[in-house]
Amino acid sequence: MSEKIEKSDAEWRVELTPEQYQVCRKKATEAPFSGEYYYNKEEGTYLCICCGNELFNSDAKYNSGSGWPSFWEPMKSESVKIERDYSHFMVREEILCSKCNAHLGHVFEDGPPPTFTRYCINSISLKFVPKK
């Protein structure tokens, strides 16, 4: 894994749109079924919008019906990190970019085989690069 990226709050505000900033840096959630990549079926790679870290491959994407792009595994286990999230009177597993600490979404244990996990990701935290 390459070097970690650390920037000030002011630097992130300049680099990201207000919506990206709220989701990626302040841990907001985009509205279900509103994200750019929810219906995307193209082949390619999903990168972190903040730092370009390769996060997910389209081969692991599936329609979970949740309203957010869902994947059964990250490209590499070290691409993301998982932390316990106690917000909103719930206990969940938050997914963060391992390189820049951007909030991506949450992981659940109700996904399909082979992993039975659902990485539920905010589209706004991603950049899609189509396969050439």
Side-chain angles (χ1 to χ4, degrees), residues 5-6 9 14 22 49 52 61 63 87 103 128:
I5 294 174
E6 293 186 29
D9 196 55
V14 168
Q22 285 302 314
I49 196 70
K61 187 174 186 284
N63 183 358
S87 65
H103 170 76
F128 179 73

Side-chain angles (χ1 to χ4, degrees), residues 11-18 20-21 24-25 49-50:
E11 289 173 305
W12 286 121
R13 282 185 182 274
V14 168
E15 292 183 22
L16 302 171
T17 67
Q20 290 168 334
Y21 175 80
C24 297
R25 308 319 307 178
I49 196 70
C50 296

Side-chain angles (χ1 to χ4, degrees), residues 6-109:
E6 293 186 29
K7 296 183 183 182
S8 70
D9 196 55
E11 289 173 305
W12 286 121
R13 282 185 182 274
V14 168
E15 292 183 22
L16 302 171
T17 67
E19 294 84 8
Q20 290 168 334
Y21 175 80
Q22 285 302 314
V23 170
C24 297
R25 308 319 307 178
K26 295 300 178 184
K27 304 179 187 244
T29 301
E30 67 190 4
F33 304 101
S34 69
E36 175 180 7
Y37 301 123
Y38 179 69
Y39 296 103
N40 186 27
K41 295 186 185 317
E42 286 185 74
E43 290 185 26
T45 303
Y46 292 87
L47 312 177
C48 175
I49 196 70
C50 296
C51 71
N53 187 20
E54 292 183 335
L55 300 172
F56 299 96
N57 189 294
S58 61
D59 293 343
K61 187 174 186 284
Y62 71 101
N63 183 358
S64 67
S66 66
W68 294 275
S70 297
F71 304 85
W72 61 72
E73 67 182 353
M75 282 189 73
K76 300 176 194 162
S77 60
E78 61 268 13
S79 296
V80 298
K81 65 180 185 174
I82 308 297
E83 291 184 357
R84 188 71 41 108
D85 175 7
Y86 297 98
S87 65
H88 306 289
F89 304 103
M90 294 182 273
V91 178
R92 298 178 290 174
E93 302 296 319
E94 178 185 12
I95 308 163
L96 300 161
C97 173
S98 62
K99 192 171 176 182
C100 72
N101 220 32
H103 170 76
L104 304 171
H106 292 87
V107 65
F108 303 94
E109 295 178 359

